[in-house]
Amino acid sequence: MEQKEDKLKEVISHAKEYGFVFPSSEIYDGLAATYDYGQLGSELKNNIKSYWWKSMVQMHENIVGIDSAIFMHPTTWKASGHVDAFNDPLIDNKDSKKRYRADVLLEEHMEKIRLKIEKEVEKGVKRFGDDFDEHQFRATNPNVLRNAEKIKEIEDRMRTALETNDLEGVYQLIMDCEIVCPISGSRNWTEVRQFNLMFSTELGSVAGDAATIYLRPETAQGIFVNFLNVQKSGRMKIPFGIAQIGKAFRNEIVARQFIFRMREFEQMEMQFFCRPGEEMKWYEYWKDTRSKWHKALGLGDNQYRFHDHIKLAHYANAACDIEFNFPMGFKELEGIHSRTDFDLKQHEQFSGKKLQYFDPELNQNYVPFVVETSVGLDRMFLAVLSASHKNEVLEDGSERTVLSIPPALAPYKVAVMPLTKKDGLPEKAREIIDGLKFDFLCQYDEKDSIGKRYRRQDAIGTPFSVTVDHETLENNTVTIRDRDTMDQVRVSIADLHRMIDEKVSMRTLLV
Ligand code: ATP
């Protein structure tokens, strides 16, 4: 556990030192759960967006993208259910005065029991060696069975209590599980209360209920209210999708863990409209497609897992998360939800406007069903950064910190360095940059020894470093160093563009 916390701390301090992420308004000691992306962070973030947009919008004939406003008519949020139901159950510990999400305390408790099961299985592997039959062991070992039963019981009670809004039941479950506050170690809990996560503000100069508007807590509703606008103006035929990337705001109860949980964050969402009855087919399709999108980054297939929701949101008939192995453990990275026709029907009802599609093949009007994919841009950023951050001991015993960011996402693609600051080498280096800068973000660096300059590029994840020396002036060749292998080869300047492009192009991820 401590090791994991150390890893997160290391990533946070690296992110700050090299200009990826800063605490917001830091000169005023920051603002809780709000962060700014620095000069390299915004490049990485833009590249992640571009990977998503290219894959979801530009490479799908039947998906288009929009950019809707953050503010929306307040009735939107009544129709969507957010005014009444976008709550988290919170609980305070009276001794530490710390606030927690009651459902998260229970999830973490169940995770601990799950770990006990895994330990038992590990013991089995050691004891039985090659003869070990994991399936049979899980089905028969009394300790495993007892713990699995415990988890099931907690899950069932939690689901029932949350679904029926039985807050006393949630409290009782926390007491029965003997869950203690991680800070004070005590079980001195307050009652469980519901807390609405939407930020509100007032429109214009009028105060009062009528003028209350919300900062959108998800980008999805901007898509639903534009469903017909896009369908008609784009002559879209079902099944089709509408995607968007944008800010969302949630007044999170527990906002820790760096950019994992922020009060202002960005989502990349896509709503896929399909025929009623075909939603499960598309749900499976998008689970598979999104999983491939993540795995193409090469951060390690075993870093991801699916988690089916116990408590389905008020709008869903199936939902799962793609979880990533963050420094804090496996946590939600993306949600895939089969939202039925809930949202469009609600908007029909609240607006009095028909939001239907005429299906020429069926010769029939209907309200489409929707499958949503929703991934947090900031969580993607943290996944890429934390999985890429490595401290390596090299063959000669020296150490380096390297960010092995997938090259297509790396902020700078190439650094060009003159060996010395004289003899026309800087001019030659700039000439090379002039030939590359239309397609690749380049950095010029002439300060310090070449070794130090390589380390700086490793630390910010630049896939290539090109060194210009005296030989360059004679025969137009340079050395190019690969960030990951640290191999250096001498190549002709004319070949640089192709070599770099082969490795850093988005195509490497999209095929
Ligand atoms: P969680 O259970 O972690 O609160 P959620 O299930 O409420 O997340 P969704 O409503 O499904 O999240 O939102 C879709 C995606 O938006 C999430 O998978 C996550 O990547 C991102 N996201 C949600 N809340 C935050 C937040 N506070 N900070 C950063 N990203 C977030």
Side-chain angles (χ1 to χ4, degrees):
M1 189 66 195
E2 204 174 80
Q3 235 178 353
K4 283 181 172 170
E5 273 169 23
D6 287 350
K7 172 75 187 174
L8 182 61
K9 275 191 197 146
E10 226 182 301
V11 170
I12 295 173
S13 86
H14 191 91
K16 187 173 169 205
E17 183 179 349
Y18 289 94
F20 284 88
V21 183
F22 307 123
S24 158
S25 28
E26 196 189 6
I27 56 168
Y28 296 104
D29 296 331
L31 180 69
T34 321
Y35 290 90
D36 296 338
Y37 287 87
Q39 65 280 15
L40 293 188
S42 50
E43 292 292 341
L44 173 56
K45 206 172 161 198
N46 279 338
N47 293 340
I48 297 173
K49 279 193 216 179
S50 164
Y51 174 39
W52 188 85
W53 194 262
K54 276 205 159 72
S55 140
M56 297 295 281
V57 179
Q58 296 177 343
M59 297 188 62
H60 272 102
E61 205 177 291
N62 58 345
I63 299 183
V64 290
I66 64 166
D67 184 10
S68 71
I70 286 171
F71 290 140
M72 299 180 71
H73 192 286
T75 310
T76 309
W77 305 110
K78 287 215 173 72
S80 68
H82 283 81
V83 172
D84 295 323
F86 195 52
N87 301 318
D88 274 343
L90 68 84
I91 188 166
D92 296 276
N93 183 269
K94 291 182 194 161
D95 298 318
S96 66
K97 308 267 183 286
K98 286 276 171 203
R99 181 160 284 181
Y100 299 91
R101 260 172 65 179
D103 56 329
V104 171
L105 283 181
L106 287 164
E107 289 281 1
E108 284 174 358
H109 181 70
M110 286 188 277
E111 186 61 29
K112 275 189 196 148
I113 305 176
R114 253 180 228 119
L115 284 177
K116 277 189 194 162
I117 296 181
E118 294 315 312
K119 279 226 170 96
E120 201 65 43
V121 174
E122 269 172 37
K123 269 202 257 167
V125 174
K126 277 200 192 124
R127 203 172 339 134
F128 298 112
D130 287 347
D131 295 336
F132 185 63
D133 178 344
E134 184 175 330
H135 186 72
Q136 199 200 349
F137 187 83
R138 284 183 190 271
T140 53
N141 179 281
N143 289 339
V144 170
L145 290 177
R146 203 184 47 250
N147 281 323
E149 187 52 39
K150 256 194 213 167
I151 294 176
K152 189 171 172 324
E153 192 195 317
I154 300 170
E155 267 179 1
D156 287 347
R157 281 181 64 188
M158 179 166 120
R159 184 193 308 135
T160 314
L162 289 173
E163 276 172 7
T164 55
N165 205 15
D166 171 15
L167 299 181
E168 173 60 29
V170 179
Y171 172 83
Q172 203 47 54
L173 185 54
I174 288 177
M175 295 309 279
D176 293 349
C177 291
E178 303 188 346
I179 294 177
V180 298
C181 164
I183 309 283
S184 68
S186 89
R187 271 184 258 155
N188 195 5
W189 296 109
T190 62
E191 59 182 10
V192 178
R193 277 167 298 146
Q194 289 287 21
F195 178 78
N196 193 290
L197 299 183
M198 279 199 295
F199 282 103
S200 62
T201 184
E202 258 132 40
L203 193 64
S205 56
V206 204
D209 255 8
T212 297
I213 53 167
Y214 300 97
L215 274 73
R216 66 178 177 201
E218 60 175 28
T219 58
Q221 297 305 322
I223 294 178
F224 291 125
V225 298
N226 278 301
F227 161 69
L228 267 195
N229 283 338
V230 173
Q231 191 271 320
K232 291 219 157 95
S233 60
R235 293 176 297 118
M236 307 300 293
K237 286 206 173 60
I238 271 183
F240 73 90
I242 306 179
Q244 87 165 317
I245 300 177
K247 289 261 180 173
F249 304 82
R250 295 182 188 178
N251 200 358
E252 297 282 1
I253 299 168
V254 187
R256 293 187 207 119
Q257 298 174 328
F258 193 38
I259 54 174
F260 179 82
R261 189 175 298 288
M262 298 197 286
R263 297 206 166 99
E264 173 182 343
F265 58 99
E266 239 169 307
Q267 291 185 315
M268 305 191 283
E269 295 199 301
M270 192 278 304
Q271 312 295 325
F272 197 74
F273 300 90
C274 63
R275 278 184 188 160
E278 293 194 348
E279 72 276 13
M280 289 321 283
K281 180 180 91 185
W282 290 111
Y283 176 67
E284 292 304 326
Y285 171 85
W286 283 110
K287 268 174 81 168
D288 184 50
T289 305
R290 294 302 304 148
S291 168
K292 283 188 184 136
W293 183 90
H294 286 286
K295 289 179 180 168
L297 288 173
L299 303 178
D301 287 4
N302 57 353
Q303 301 292 87
Y304 303 88
R305 71 180 188 197
F306 279 108
H307 171 83
D308 289 317
H309 281 203
I310 311 174
K311 184 199 168 204
L312 289 176
H314 55 275
Y315 50 74
N317 69 355
C320 70
D321 299 333
I322 297 178
E323 296 187 336
F324 184 76
N325 191 10
F326 288 100
M328 317 77 81
F330 277 97
K331 302 252 181 219
E332 173 175 345
L333 172 62
E334 168 154 4
I336 299 168
H337 310 126
S338 172
R339 291 180 81 126
T340 66
D341 55 0
F342 175 84
D343 302 86
L344 289 179
K345 278 217 167 122
Q346 288 290 105
H347 288 305
E348 275 199 328
Q349 195 190 325
F350 279 75
S351 69
K353 311 261 162 48
K354 272 210 172 334
L355 294 175
Q356 302 198 352
Y357 172 79
F358 176 72
D359 193 323
E361 278 170 40
L362 301 179
N363 198 20
Q364 191 184 319
N365 274 307
Y366 54 78
V367 177
F369 271 47
V370 173
V371 175
E372 159 184 86
T373 71
S374 173
V375 57
L377 176 53
D378 312 273
R379 287 190 191 177
M380 269 309 294
F381 187 102
L382 182 58
V384 170
L385 197 67
S386 58
S388 306
H389 180 273
K390 290 171 193 149
N391 295 317
E392 291 181 350
V393 180
L394 306 180
E395 271 172 20
D396 65 1
S398 64
E399 288 176 22
R400 72 162 182 166
T401 299
V402 59
L403 289 185
S404 54
I405 301 176
L409 302 185
Y412 285 108
K413 304 303 184 201
V414 55
V416 184
M417 315 163 164
L419 191 62
T420 65
K421 284 186 217 171
K422 46 185 200 305
D423 304 334
L425 299 186
E427 289 75 10
K428 191 72 186 168
R430 290 199 190 280
E431 198 183 299
I432 293 171
I433 289 182
D434 282 343
L436 298 173
K437 69 183 178 191
F438 294 95
D439 299 306
F440 313 113
L441 189 62
C442 308
Q443 189 171 63
Y444 175 82
D445 191 2
E446 61 173 26
K447 201 170 174 293
D448 300 321
S449 70
I450 281 289
K452 271 196 182 158
R453 284 184 255 172
Y454 284 157
R455 290 289 168 275
R456 271 206 293 270
Q457 296 305 327
D458 289 344
I460 61 173
T462 311
F464 290 112
S465 294
V466 165
T467 305
V468 176
D469 55 21
H470 291 91
E471 198 184 325
T472 310
L473 302 179
E474 288 160 23
N475 62 7
N476 273 326
T477 63
V478 288
T479 53
I480 181 164
R481 171 186 181 269
D482 182 291
R483 173 195 71 195
D484 301 324
T485 61
M486 292 182 287
D487 289 342
Q488 298 177 32
V489 281
R490 192 135 203 127
V491 301
S492 158
I493 292 175
D495 289 337
L496 277 179
H497 192 284
R498 180 188 46 80
M499 287 182 74
I500 297 167
D501 190 58
E502 263 170 20
K503 189 147 174 188
V504 310
S505 163
M506 275 295 168
R507 281 193 304 277
T508 57
L509 301 178
L510 291 165
V511 286

